[in-house]
Amino acid sequence: MSKRIGLTLVFFAFLYVLSAQQKWNYPEVDKQSYELFQQKKWNELIAFNAEAREKGIDYFNLQARTGIAYYNLKKYRKASTWFLKAWKNDKEQEWLQEYVYYSLVYSGRSIEASKLAAHFTTQLQEKIYYQKMKPLRVAFEAGYSFNPDFDKLLNSELDVEAGVGSDYGEAFFLKNYKFGALDCSHQIAPGVNLNHNFTYIDVNRTEQLFWGNRNNFPIDIKQNQYFLNPYFSLGKWHVSTSINAIWGKSGLILGNYDPNTFYTSSLKYSDFIFSASVWNNWGNIAPGAEINRANIYNEGFTQASVWITFYPLSNNNFYLTPRVYFKGDNESSFTYNTLGLSGGFQLGQVHFYGSYLNGEMKNFIESGGYVIANFPGRSTRKFMGSLYFPFAKHHQFVVRYLNQDVIESYQVYSNATPRHSTEYKYIKHTITAGISWNF
């Protein structure tokens, strides 16, 4: 009796092993995978295909179906990973080409998509309006920045706090500034884009001098900025370089030899920034690094940063980017400088983007070398929020608000030599609005 039971158990074990072997072979896997695909059971299909790969079974259709499942779940970054794997095995399938293209576009990787599109069929290229060279975007943005503590600072007794006495005291109080920026982006070859930006800034400051008595002089600063940024795709790697040229002029009031006598001097200045950055796309994360070399207010320095962008939903509906900045100059090596956190989310057609910076920000360069702080003073924190509203077919409207603390110095001179200084603080508020046309 026990022998018969033992044979029965062996028989059922044999059937189980045989059944498992029959399930995990190429014909059976393809059959079940296709059935789940036809039934549009996307989550089950993803799980089944993953289990098949654990058993050592992987091939073109399995990769493509996994990509389609993620694509229909709107997890475009994961979808693109599987479509690109399938693409390596067969680049002739037009339906796969289309999936590759749109999964990259919806992942925010349009430059990769444009590079791959050069190898698509003529019919698909016509369908996606493929061009080797084409305009991408034109935008105009204007803003206004103001210091609500201007009158308070102007009427304060910083000269008394600084103990100027019979010496010479000087401070510059920001009142407001307005600016306008024109952006233009175009594709100069598949996978190679070029950005241009020209910005004009008109700054109103008051120069307060104590030279015998307290005196206030309005100062108008005119500044121009031209930003040129080629960037391109090397497979999954993205490379961006840029040059930012800044030039301007300002009036400057200087004390004469006798107290209460002054003269006006014209000041011209120019700054520059060279930047290079590289980043990659690894599924739901995108790590990157950037280095900047700059000369601002005759101070040469190098700034570097590293970051990782997380896409927890595997699309652009929500993303988060922590970033760490380091800075060094000709006299000191790199040290920690600033911590940044940025991110965004999309609700329907409305997109929100925000950022926060905390650290020692003097002559500070933000992402891409485009946003800089080259006015006198320093900052320890800054936050910004932007709302994007698409309208019509190719247009987008944006409004932004920025809030930043500014720390400047009241400088005391003795015999034209800096003796000591005292700091004063204020909050700078900035409101901007713009419109873009995406081709």
Side-chain angles (χ1 to χ4, degrees):
M1 183 70 178
S2 58
K3 184 177 181 181
R4 184 178 300 175
I5 294 174
L7 291 173
T8 302
L9 291 175
V10 169
F11 176 72
F12 279 113
F14 172 77
L15 290 179
Y16 175 79
V17 171
L18 181 63
S19 174
Q21 289 176 343
Q22 288 177 342
K23 179 180 179 181
W24 299 114
N25 57 58
Y26 280 87
E28 191 65 26
V29 165
D30 192 62
K31 176 184 176 182
Q32 293 193 44
S33 175
Y34 185 62
E35 287 177 356
L36 292 170
F37 174 79
Q38 285 186 312
Q39 296 167 7
K40 298 182 179 181
K41 296 181 178 179
W42 307 124
N43 287 311
E44 293 181 35
L45 176 60
I46 291 169
F48 176 79
N49 290 355
E51 193 173 356
R53 290 187 195 94
E54 290 179 0
K55 304 295 183 181
I57 300 174
D58 194 16
Y59 53 98
F60 174 83
N61 281 340
L62 208 68
Q63 294 162 353
R65 289 170 192 160
T66 304
I68 293 171
Y70 278 121
Y71 188 92
N72 281 283
L73 293 172
K74 297 184 177 181
K75 296 183 177 181
Y76 301 115
R77 297 185 71 87
K78 286 187 176 180
S80 66
T81 299
W82 291 106
F83 288 141
L84 288 170
K85 286 184 178 182
W87 163 267
K88 289 181 181 179
N89 294 324
D90 187 348
K91 298 183 178 181
E92 304 302 320
Q93 300 291 337
E94 187 173 297
W95 61 269
L96 178 60
Q97 294 172 359
E98 188 168 1
Y99 270 122
V100 168
Y101 180 81
Y102 283 110
S103 65
L104 289 173
V105 169
Y106 295 153
S107 297
R109 298 159 62 182
S110 297
I111 192 168
E112 289 180 59
S114 70
K115 186 175 182 179
L116 292 179
H119 306 286
F120 291 171
T121 64
T122 303
Q123 292 83 354
L124 182 56
Q125 288 179 344
E126 292 176 354
K127 182 178 180 180
I128 62 176
Y129 305 104
Y130 169 78
Q131 293 175 288
K132 291 184 178 180
M133 300 177 64
K134 61 181 179 180
L136 298 173
R137 178 178 178 270
V138 173
F140 176 76
E141 189 165 337
Y144 179 74
S145 185
F146 63 95
N147 172 14
D149 294 328
F150 172 75
D151 291 332
K152 179 181 177 181
L153 287 170
L154 197 64
N155 297 312
S156 64
E157 295 185 339
L158 286 170
D159 50 346
V160 176
E161 294 179 26
V164 178
S166 60
D167 287 329
Y168 182 87
E170 178 186 66
F172 294 87
F173 301 130
L174 173 69
K175 183 177 183 181
N176 56 54
Y177 64 83
K178 52 185 178 292
F179 63 91
L182 180 65
D183 283 293
C184 176
S185 303
H186 55 103
Q187 179 179 298
I188 59 176
V192 183
N193 293 356
L194 193 62
N195 291 334
H196 308 262
N197 173 275
F198 179 78
T199 301
Y200 173 76
I201 305 176
D202 187 355
V203 184
N204 293 313
R205 297 172 72 90
T206 291
E207 182 181 5
Q208 186 174 96
L209 298 176
F210 189 94
W211 186 220
N213 287 295
R214 189 183 304 158
N215 302 271
N216 295 318
F217 301 96
I219 299 295
D220 190 22
I221 304 172
K222 310 290 187 183
Q223 178 170 301
N224 303 285
Q225 173 183 322
Y226 176 64
F227 176 75
L228 179 64
N229 168 221
Y231 65 99
F232 49 92
S233 169
L234 297 174
K236 288 186 178 182
W237 290 95
H238 292 247
V239 178
S240 173
T241 59
S242 68
I243 180 171
N244 197 341
I246 304 147
W247 66 99
K249 62 180 181 178
S250 169
L252 182 65
I253 307 300
L254 297 173
N256 218 325
Y257 291 106
D258 299 321
N260 289 315
T261 61
F262 306 92
Y263 66 96
T264 302
S265 177
S266 179
L267 172 66
K268 292 184 178 180
Y269 62 92
S270 60
D271 300 329
F272 73 84
I273 301 168
F274 293 106
S275 300
S277 58
V278 60
W279 65 98
N280 202 332
N281 288 285
W282 297 339
N284 289 347
I285 65 170
E290 179 177 287
I291 189 164
N292 315 101
R293 179 62 188 173
N295 186 287
I296 297 177
Y297 271 91
N298 297 320
E299 292 186 17
F301 64 91
T302 302
Q303 182 179 293
S305 61
V306 292
W307 71 89
I308 299 179
T309 301
F310 298 93
Y311 299 88
L313 303 180
S314 197
N315 55 39
N316 291 337
N317 288 343
F318 177 65
Y319 54 93
L320 196 65
T321 306
R323 184 169 183 147
V324 182
Y325 295 83
F326 305 88
K327 195 172 184 179
D329 55 31
N330 297 330
E331 298 179 356
S332 59
S333 58
F334 280 113
T335 57
Y336 164 76
N337 188 56
T338 303
L339 178 65
L341 183 64
S342 62
F345 62 86
Q346 185 161 335
L347 294 175
Q349 296 296 310
V350 178
H351 184 91
F352 172 81
Y353 173 80
S355 65
Y356 176 76
L357 292 165
N358 186 286
E360 187 63 29
M361 293 177 281
K362 180 182 179 182
N363 294 339
F364 185 70
I365 305 166
E366 292 186 41
S367 176
Y370 172 58
V371 181
I372 63 168
N374 72 320
F375 294 121
R378 61 187 179 89
S379 177
T380 60
R381 64 124 188 99
K382 173 183 177 181
F383 64 83
M384 181 270 289
S386 302
L387 278 174
Y388 297 85
F389 305 89
F391 67 97
K393 188 176 181 180
H394 299 287
H395 296 79
Q396 189 175 57
F397 181 72
V398 60
V399 291
R400 309 184 201 274
Y401 170 70
L402 294 88
N403 183 296
Q404 182 175 12
D405 74 334
V406 181
I407 304 167
E408 298 193 54
S409 296
Y410 188 103
Q411 183 68 54
V412 179
Y413 296 85
S414 181
N415 296 322
T417 302
R419 181 161 61 90
H420 65 269
S421 63
T422 185
E423 291 186 336
Y424 59 92
K425 302 179 182 181
Y426 59 92
I427 302 295
K428 182 179 69 173
H429 302 266
T430 306
I431 301 172
T432 76
I435 187 172
S436 63
W437 182 13
N438 301 300
F439 293 92

